[in-house]
């Protein structure tokens, strides 16, 4: 979204500069090109695009990009082609693609979109990548050469070969050669198979697979050999990928469960509204983003303290109003907090909306970190993983090294004794519950980047959270970490062959059996604290 | 003495009730609305409640129908399937509504079916569903599989050249039935077993890493691959997010979804989804005057510039107008006469054509394929040359191949088996039995 907006603005600035120089009376040739594109029936669109590219107009790239992004429209009455700057709401902001002049807002009812579909968009991507191959920045060239993989057709071969002659960067050369090789393998060229032998790119593999299935036995044999060499590498990458998936799912589980590990594990309160505290954190993220439009990154960072505070305050209210009156009555606590969870859900539905809210992912969190063509780590999950570890480390610090942590441990181990030593048990209760709730809020901030922000968000995590805490051993933060990560990994290992539904069931059965054998979980508490 | 008194009281009461009855003719027509306003389905169903209320308001401005006003009776079944049946009973037995607009999930419809049949009510059901049903008392204004799934697959096969298929769905009755139909259909078309991958996930699934990665490697076998998604509601957001993050673009592996509409997209940043597809019978972006008027009215009704319209809303629009036309045609709101009158009724839809109620209680609809745009709207890239009539019993399932439904006399049966020439149990009885 913001990329589009930025490129549109830069296009407009470029246009404005261009216009100020040749203020000639003649008709702008661009106008005819655009109208031609807008009027072309689907069979002639390619021709119209090529005409724009061949015109050598500096504005061509911007026009094509706008076209690819569905941003070219025609005014129904006048037939004028315009650039749509903002296509949300009832009235759309439009501009003149020739001069860059802002034409103000127009009802969407009066505009007719210049049609595009996936087939054309695919070709357009190839053409634009070709234009980008002339960029000065080698990284841009490499990215566009990678985009060319599998998109090369007869028309692009000659210009690509010409580019290869001039290209200085080895990385870009490799990419272009691979892109050309894919085309040649498709045409039945055996020598080109060699070039693709080590490539992990899925398009290269697709081309080889096709070649392996072809009637030409020599070609098929060469392709099979190349595929065999790829297969080995792929297996390794696949294993690494599964491990990453497992750890990332595990860190989500840890984040969701760690607040519960404090309220349930340390304090012994069965808080069924834990999921809704997570939800509050996620809604806080949405709220902060609403307050800071256009700065999703900053808003996300600010939501970390804000989400913590909101959930912590909600936690204090729940503790003071309900839980403190039900001390030592786990069944009543369970029912009461379950009621609170329903109240909170419906409150969000009534006050905000039953619909999911859009939380924007900042640019630095979207996409993936490319290790090689077969292995890339999705960035949002990488950040969540790091965040989970930081939260965990911070909690350990608090519990081990601060006065609060000492008080909490004292009160949970022996309440009467701690009180007689002068610790205000009630105050410690409030602070502990606030801490656990706040951490749930932090989980919500992180989850807003992975899943829906809606009234049902919390329900999806409450069972998993209890599962992790119980499996890890109640009252043990390390147990929660290990349990979360291992359950995530087991789940992801099972998923490819068992399917998502069965994998979940198997994990549950496993936990039930495990708890039968070791009722206190992975890391049971030892010593005197364990007895009660 | 006292007996006389009693008789007197009884007589006057009788007289009173008779005079009441003649007034009752001028009473409003009661329209029951049976959509969840709380619980998990509130996300989808609240807008439908608002839609019907808006339509009632518009109709009353036009002077109602048969000189009578319309009045909405709203209940909240709270996304709780058994409660749907109770609330339906409340609407029909206590409130004595003339017609019900309601339900979203198939399981809630199955729960309501026996009640509507028992109390002889009218139910308009606005959501695309798996078919295999035709009840005397239910009108299906959403799409049957042949009005959504099959044409979408044809588009991918013929226009895009897809040869390898991933059928991904949430694990419940609608995706399972639809995928079974599609699998049979694809195999009939000569697609090999190894070119079909079927995958089910639980409700609200949020961790899609492995599945998306599987789809990616399934798609690198050389043949053009597409994903046919019957993934339900909430699970779609993380699914599409994962697709975007793992770099699967629509030009590599397009995803065509049957449950993702404008409403669902309004909860996501659609930037990375541009080009992925959805098959519906209506899109908000359809450029007709009727549609723009409907959207403007909806925006005014909600008082919010950014609200969206979607396919089930159009279905309610059609269903509501069909009901009004049928009541006019029958000259009464009597259930049996309306049921008779409504077959063959044609009303304009919002995409520039007409919808007709067929004898099997399904309607004719155009099928549109749209590509997702960056503003959460769809742009139509393909549509069927003419409208398609809904098929209650799929031709691609072994048990239902021979079944037809025709609610005209003399056949008057929703489960007529052409092989045996006999009429089976009603859909309500079957649903009651399944429970």
């Amino acid at each position: 979204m913001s990329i589009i907006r930025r490129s549109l603005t830069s296009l407009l600035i470029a246009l404005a500069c261009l216009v100020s120089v040749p203020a000639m009376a003649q008709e702008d040739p661009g106008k005819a090109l655009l109208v031609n594109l807008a009027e072309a029936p689907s069979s002639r669109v390619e021709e119209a695009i090529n005409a724009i590219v061949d015109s050598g107009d500096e504005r061509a790239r911007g026009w094509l990009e706008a076209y690819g992004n569905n941003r070219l429209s025609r005014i129904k009455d006048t037939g004028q082609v315009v650039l749509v700057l903002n296509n949300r709401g009832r009235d759309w902001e439009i501009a003149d693609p020739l001069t860059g002049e802002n034409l103000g807002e127009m009802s969407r009812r009066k505009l007719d979109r210049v049609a595009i579909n996936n087939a054309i968009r695919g070709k357009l991507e190839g053409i634009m990548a070709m234009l980008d191959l002339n960029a000065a920045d080698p990284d841009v060239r490499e990215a566009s050469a990678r985009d060319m993989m599998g998109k090369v057709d007869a028309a692009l071969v000659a210009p690509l070969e010409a580019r290869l002659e001039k290209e200085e960067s080895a990385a870009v050369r490799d990419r272009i050669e691979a892109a050309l090789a894919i085309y040649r393998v498709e045409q039945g060229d055996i020598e080109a198979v060699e070039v693709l032998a080590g490539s992990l790119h899925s398009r290269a593999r697709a081309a080889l697979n096709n070649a392996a299935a072809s009637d030409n036995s020599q070609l098929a044999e060469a392709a099979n050999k190349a595929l065999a060499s790829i297969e080995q590498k792929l297996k390794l990458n696949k294993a690494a990928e599964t491990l990453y998936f497992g750890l990332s799912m595990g860190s989500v589980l840890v984040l969701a469960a760690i607040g519960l590990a404090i309220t349930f594990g340390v304090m012994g309160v069965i808080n069924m509204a834990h999921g809704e505290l997570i939800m509050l954190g996620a809604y806080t993220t949405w709220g902060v983003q609403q307050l800071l439009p256009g700065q999703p990154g900053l808003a996300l960072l600010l939501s970390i303290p804000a989400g913590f505070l909101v959930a912590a305050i909600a936690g204090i209210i729940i503790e003071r109003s309900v839980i403190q009156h039900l001390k030592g009555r786990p069944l009543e606590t369970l029912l009461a907090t379950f009621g609170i969870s329903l109240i909170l859900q419906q409150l969000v539905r009534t006050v905000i909306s039953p619909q999911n809210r859009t939380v924007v992912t900042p640019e630095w969190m979207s996409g993936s970190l490319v290790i090689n063509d077969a292995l890339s780590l999705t960035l949002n999950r990488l950040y969540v993983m790091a965040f989970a570890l930081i939260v965990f480390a911070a909690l350990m610090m608090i519990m081990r090294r601060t006065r609060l942590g000492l008080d909490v441990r004292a009160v949970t181990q022996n309440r009467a004794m701690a009180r007689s030593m002068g610790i205000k048990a009630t105050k410690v209760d409030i602070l502990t519950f606030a801490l656990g709730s706040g951490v749930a809020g932090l989980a919500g901030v992180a989850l807003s980047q992975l899943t829906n922000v809606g009234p049902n968000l919390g329900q999806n995590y409450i069972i998993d959270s209890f599962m992790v805490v119980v499996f890890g051993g109640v009252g043990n933060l390390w147990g929660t970490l290990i349990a979360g990560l291992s359950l995530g990994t087991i789940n992801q290992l099972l998923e490819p062959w068992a399917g998502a539904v069965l994998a979940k069931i198997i994990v549950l059965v496993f936990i039930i059996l495990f708890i039968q054998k070791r009722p206190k979980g992975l890391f049971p508490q030892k010593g005197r604290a364990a007895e009660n | 003495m006292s007996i006389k008194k009693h008789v007197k009281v009884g007589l006057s009461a009788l007289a009173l009730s008779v005079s009441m009855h003649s007034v009752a003719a001028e009473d409003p027509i009661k329209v029951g609305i049976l959509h969840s306003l709380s619980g998990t389905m509130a996300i989808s169903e609240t807008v439908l409640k608002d839609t019907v209320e808006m339509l009632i308001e518009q109709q009353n401005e036009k002077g109602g129908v048969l000189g009578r006003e319309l009045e909405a009776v709203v209940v909240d079944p709270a996304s709780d399937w058994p409660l749907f049946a109770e609330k339906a009973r409340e609407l029909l037995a206590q409130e004595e509504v003339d017609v019900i607009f309601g339900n979203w999930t198939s399981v809630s419809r199955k729960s309501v079916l026996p009640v509507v049949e028992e109390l002889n009510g009218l139910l308009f059901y606005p959501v695309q569903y798996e078919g295999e049903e035709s009840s005397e008392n239910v009108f299906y204004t959403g799409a049957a599989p042949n009005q959504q799934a099959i044409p979408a697959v044809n588009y991918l096969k013929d226009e895009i050249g897809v040869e390898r298929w991933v059928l991904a769905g949430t694990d419940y009755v609608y995706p399972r039935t639809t995928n079974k139909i599609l699998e049979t259909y694809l195999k009939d078309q000569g697609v090999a077993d190894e070119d079909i991958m079927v995958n089910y996930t639980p409700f609200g699934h949020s961790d899609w890493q492995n599945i998306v990665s599987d789809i990616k490697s399934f798609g690198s076998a050389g043949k053009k691959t597409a994903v046919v998604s019957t993934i339900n509601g909430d699970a779609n957001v993380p699914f599409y997010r994962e697709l975007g993050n793992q770099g699967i673009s629509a030009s590599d592996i397009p995803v065509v979804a049957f449950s993702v509409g404008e409403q669902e997209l309004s909860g996501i940043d659609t930037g990375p989804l541009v080009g992925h597809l959805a098959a519906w019978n209506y899109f908000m972006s359809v450029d007709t005057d009727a549609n723009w008027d409907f959207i403007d009215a909806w925006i005014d009704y909600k008082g919010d510039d950014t609200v969206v319209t979607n396919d089930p809303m159009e279905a309610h629009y059609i269903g509501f107008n069909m009901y009004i036309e049928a009541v006019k045609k029958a000259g009464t709101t009597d259930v049996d006469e309306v049921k008779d009158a409504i077959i063959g009724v044609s009303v304009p839809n919002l995409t520039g054509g007409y919808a007709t109620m067929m004898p099997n209680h399904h309607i004719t609809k155009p099928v549109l394929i749209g590509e997702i745009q960056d503003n959460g709207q769809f742009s139509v890239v393909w549509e069927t040359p003419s409208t398609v009539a809904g098929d209650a019993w799929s031709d691609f399932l072994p048990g239902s191949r021979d079944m037809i439904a025709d609610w005209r006399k003399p056949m008057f049966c929703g489960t007529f088996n052409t092989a045996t020439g006999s009429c089976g149990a009603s859909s309500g009885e079957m649903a009651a039995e399944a429970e």
Side-chain angles (χ1 to χ4, degrees), chain A residues 71 76 87-88 109 113 118 203 205 209-210 238 241 245 248 346 349 355 358 367 380 449 452 492, chain B residues 38-39 43 207 209-210 213 220-221 234 237 241 245 252 266 275 287 292-293 296 371 374-375 379:
Chain A
R71 294 304 182 108
K76 279 184 194 164
N87 58 3
R88 283 169 192 270
R109 217 172 156 159
R113 206 177 42 84
N118 276 330
R203 296 278 195 174
R205 223 154 69 239
N209 270 320
N210 276 341
K238 183 81 195 162
E241 196 185 48
F245 289 166
S248 117
Q346 197 58 31
R349 260 188 216 112
Q355 312 292 328
T358 316
N380 58 349
Q449 294 304 313
N452 294 292
Q492 293 295 323
Chain B
S38 53
I43 177 174
D207 198 298
Q209 313 178 74
N210 235 316
S213 156
S220 64
D234 272 7
V237 176
R241 236 181 223 184
N245 282 333
D252 300 325
S266 67
D287 193 6
W292 288 119
D293 290 342
D296 283 343
E371 281 181 6
D374 65 345
N375 58 352
S379 71

Side-chain angles (χ1 to χ4, degrees), chain B residues 7-316:
Chain B
V7 171
K8 235 181 191 171
V9 172
L11 276 177
S12 56
L14 203 71
L16 202 72
S17 75
V18 167
S19 65
M20 285 274 281
H21 207 77
S22 60
V23 174
E26 296 313 309
D27 274 355
I29 297 174
K30 282 188 162 182
V31 179
I33 303 178
L34 185 64
H35 282 301
S36 304
L37 310 177
S38 53
T40 48
M41 291 312 294
I43 177 174
S44 308
E45 293 193 66
T46 35
V47 286
L48 292 182
K49 182 214 77 171
D50 292 343
T51 309
V52 179
E53 284 186 330
M54 176 183 84
L55 291 168
I56 290 175
E57 198 181 294
Q58 286 175 351
Q59 190 64 35
N60 283 338
E61 274 164 27
K62 283 188 247 169
V65 62
L66 303 180
R68 292 166 68 185
E69 290 249 301
L70 285 89
E71 181 192 295
V73 182
V74 181
V75 290
D76 177 15
S79 314
D80 177 1
W81 320 139
L83 195 58
F84 265 91
E86 278 173 43
K87 290 287 174 186
R89 192 172 287 281
E90 179 187 321
L91 282 175
L92 289 170
Q94 283 171 31
E95 300 283 349
E96 299 186 340
V97 296
D98 297 289
V99 57
I100 300 175
F101 290 85
N103 297 80
W104 182 288
T105 58
S106 285
V107 45
S108 75
R109 188 191 65 253
K110 296 271 187 209
S111 137
V112 164
L113 256 180
V115 179
V116 198
E117 289 193 356
E118 179 199 326
L119 300 175
N120 196 22
L122 290 174
L123 171 68
F124 284 84
Y125 175 67
V127 183
Q128 102 278 17
Y129 83 119
E130 67 281 0
E132 305 305 297
E133 190 183 299
S134 176
S135 163
E136 183 187 340
N137 302 79
V138 182
F139 298 93
Y140 306 82
T141 52
N146 75 315
Q147 289 173 304
Q148 189 185 27
I150 302 264
V153 164
N154 283 340
Y155 168 77
L156 289 173
K157 192 160 53 66
D158 302 336
E159 310 282 321
I160 312 280
V162 172
E163 295 174 79
R164 230 164 130 80
W165 305 83
V166 180
L167 307 179
T170 302
D171 202 0
Y172 73 108
V173 54
Y174 165 68
R176 283 211 177 248
T177 316
T178 307
N179 285 342
K180 215 182 284 168
I181 293 173
L182 287 180
E183 222 180 318
T184 318
Y185 178 72
L186 286 172
K187 282 179 186 161
D188 284 356
Q189 302 280 318
V191 176
D193 271 356
E194 71 263 19
D195 285 336
I196 300 178
M197 166 177 154
V198 184
N199 184 295
Y200 291 105
T201 41
F203 266 103
H205 193 62
S206 63
D207 198 298
W208 289 92
Q209 313 178 74
N210 235 316
I211 293 163
V212 168
S213 156
D214 276 355
I215 291 173
K216 207 165 155 183
S217 55
F218 186 77
S220 64
K223 291 176 183 162
K224 179 78 186 170
T225 307
V227 179
V228 177
S229 151
T230 38
I231 297 164
N232 188 274
D234 272 7
N236 278 298
V237 176
F239 174 60
Y240 280 114
R241 236 181 223 184
E242 192 66 37
L243 280 179
N245 282 333
Q246 292 201 21
I248 298 184
S249 74
S251 45
D252 300 325
I253 303 177
V255 178
V256 57
F258 301 150
S259 309
V260 176
E262 289 83 353
Q263 201 75 55
E264 285 73 21
L265 289 184
S266 67
I268 342 179
D269 174 15
T270 47
L273 310 185
V274 171
H276 286 303
L277 305 155
W280 287 107
N281 310 102
Y282 165 84
F283 287 112
M284 183 178 174
S285 64
V286 167
D287 193 6
T288 64
D289 279 330
N291 185 32
W292 288 119
D293 290 342
F294 180 73
I295 292 169
D296 283 343
W298 176 240
I299 287 175
D300 292 340
Y301 185 78
K302 295 290 279 185
D304 178 1
D305 249 16
T306 59
V307 290
V308 293
T309 58
N310 64 5
D311 183 274
M313 282 174 67
E314 192 225 14
H316 259 345

Side-chain angles (χ1 to χ4, degrees), chain B residues 368-390:
Chain B
L368 315 177
I369 309 278
E371 281 181 6
I372 298 176
Q373 289 176 260
D374 65 345
N375 58 352
Q377 292 288 323
F378 293 86
S379 71
V380 177
V381 291
W382 182 84
E383 62 185 292
T384 44
S386 60
T387 55
V388 181

Side-chain angles (χ1 to χ4, degrees), chain A residues 62-366:
Chain A
W63 289 338
L64 293 180
E65 202 175 328
Y67 175 53
N69 290 325
N70 275 313
R71 294 304 182 108
L72 279 190
S73 278
R74 283 189 96 181
I75 299 176
K76 279 184 194 164
D77 299 339
T78 61
Q80 187 191 356
V81 178
V82 293
L83 206 59
V84 178
L85 299 180
N86 183 359
N87 58 3
R88 283 169 192 270
R90 223 175 193 175
D91 296 311
W92 289 358
E93 192 183 350
I94 55 172
D96 188 340
L98 303 172
T99 63
E101 184 194 349
N102 194 318
L103 300 176
E105 290 196 339
M106 179 172 271
S107 162
R108 60 184 167 194
R109 217 172 156 159
K110 293 191 179 138
L111 292 169
D112 198 5
R113 206 177 42 84
V114 179
I116 181 168
N117 60 30
N118 276 330
I120 299 172
R121 196 177 288 115
K123 289 204 178 97
L124 202 62
E125 276 163 13
I127 290 168
M128 301 234 284
M130 193 66 227
L131 287 173
D132 283 348
L133 269 185
N134 297 317
D137 183 355
D139 288 341
V140 174
R141 292 206 303 273
E142 195 188 339
S144 64
R146 192 169 54 231
D147 285 347
M148 300 285 299
M149 306 269 274
K151 297 212 170 80
V152 180
D153 55 17
L156 285 177
V157 172
L160 263 184
E161 280 172 340
R163 181 67 229 173
L164 195 59
E165 296 276 304
K166 284 189 280 178
E167 185 55 59
E168 284 149 11
S169 154
V172 183
R173 285 183 67 92
D174 285 351
R175 289 285 181 194
I176 298 179
E177 272 167 3
L180 281 170
I182 291 178
Y183 172 73
R184 287 181 183 140
V185 169
E186 278 165 3
Q187 302 301 311
D189 183 346
I190 298 178
E191 280 161 39
V193 171
E194 206 62 6
V195 184
L196 295 181
S199 175
L200 292 170
H201 198 281
S202 61
R203 296 278 195 174
R205 223 154 69 239
L208 287 174
N209 270 320
N210 276 341
S214 77
D215 301 332
N216 183 339
S217 62
Q218 264 179 309
L219 179 69
E221 196 186 330
N224 270 324
K225 232 163 84 190
L227 276 174
S229 76
I230 293 176
E231 217 52 51
Q232 207 54 36
K233 278 198 215 168
L234 266 183
K235 262 189 198 143
L236 265 177
N237 280 308
K238 183 81 195 162
E241 196 185 48
T242 310
L243 186 68
Y244 173 74
F245 289 166
L247 291 179
S248 117
M249 182 180 180
S251 53
V252 170
L253 288 177
V254 170
L255 255 184
I258 196 119
L260 196 74
I262 294 172
T263 52
F264 174 53
V266 178
M267 284 178 76
V269 173
I270 300 181
N271 180 17
M272 294 301 282
H274 178 73
E276 278 58 46
L277 293 168
I278 297 179
M279 174 192 78
L280 284 183
Y283 269 94
T284 311
T285 316
W286 170 75
V288 176
Q289 280 198 349
Q290 294 309 102
L291 292 178
L292 292 169
Q295 287 172 298
L298 179 66
L300 189 63
L301 291 179
L302 287 179
S303 328
I304 295 176
F308 183 88
L309 276 180
V310 169
I313 291 169
I316 292 175
I317 296 172
I318 296 174
E319 208 274 341
R320 282 293 86 189
S321 60
V322 178
I323 293 173
Q324 66 153 336
H325 304 298
L326 297 170
K327 199 151 274 286
R329 289 153 70 188
L331 199 62
E332 284 88 339
T333 317
L334 187 145
L335 287 175
T337 50
F338 184 63
I340 294 173
S341 110
L342 292 180
I343 293 172
L344 283 175
Q345 279 176 39
Q346 197 58 31
L347 193 73
V348 168
R349 260 188 216 112
T350 322
V351 176
I352 300 178
S353 158
Q355 312 292 328
N356 289 337
R357 301 285 94 184
T358 316
V359 173
V360 183
T361 306
E363 228 160 277
W364 44 268
M365 270 185 85
S366 35

